[in-house]
């Protein structure tokens, strides 16, 4: 269970880094840096065994997603955010229990 949780969390963190880098011309650099930093810390929590801190990184990414949505579209896409919320809750629970 721990290996699959680590793998899912690392994949999610990697996807968030790729998404941040892909949106370089569209959002401010400080917001890209926040995304990358939170994603790197998320990946590091899995690689170093500090799973209890993964939910903090996941919820930070969730809050950053609100700002991203506003910067990219001028509004927040609530459906996208609720999907991210569901993923965040699921990964947080898996990391907390492993």
């Amino acid at each position: 269970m721990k290996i699959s949780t680590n793998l899912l969390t690392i994949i999610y963190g990697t996807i968030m880094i790729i998404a941040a880098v892909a949106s370089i011309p569209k959002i401010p650099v400080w917001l890209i840096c926040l995304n990358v930093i939170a994603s790197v810390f998320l990946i590091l929590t899995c690689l170093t065994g500090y799973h209890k801190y993964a939910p903090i990184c996941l919820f930070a990414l969730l809050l950053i997603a609100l700002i991203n949505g506003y910067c990219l579209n001028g509004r927040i896409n609530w459906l996208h955010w609720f999907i991210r919320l569901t993923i965040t809750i699921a990964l947080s629970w898996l990391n907390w229990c492993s």
Side-chain angles (χ1 to χ4, degrees):
M1 176 83 164
K2 188 186 294 188
I3 294 172
S4 60
T5 299
N6 279 346
L7 186 60
L8 286 173
T9 306
I10 290 170
I11 289 170
Y12 185 74
T14 304
I15 290 170
M16 293 300 103
I17 291 172
I18 292 168
V21 171
S23 62
I24 283 178
K26 300 173 190 165
I27 61 175
V29 173
W30 63 268
L31 194 52
I32 293 167
C33 290
L34 281 178
N35 273 304
V36 171
I37 290 168
S39 299
V40 167
F41 277 121
L42 178 63
I43 292 169
L44 287 175
T45 61
C46 293
L47 295 177
T48 59
Y50 292 103
H51 300 283
K52 304 296 183 205
Y53 296 110
I56 296 169
C57 299
L58 288 163
F59 281 101
L61 284 169
L62 188 65
L63 293 176
I64 294 167
L66 290 173
I67 302 168
N68 281 344
Y70 189 76
C71 286
L72 284 171
N73 304 319
R75 63 178 179 79
I76 298 167
N77 184 339
W78 289 107
L79 178 61
H80 179 260
W81 192 80
F82 282 120
I83 292 169
R84 295 269 307 260
L85 176 65
T86 304
I87 293 169
T88 298
I89 291 170
L91 285 176
S92 295
W93 181 77
L94 286 170
N95 278 289
W96 190 260
C97 294
S98 64

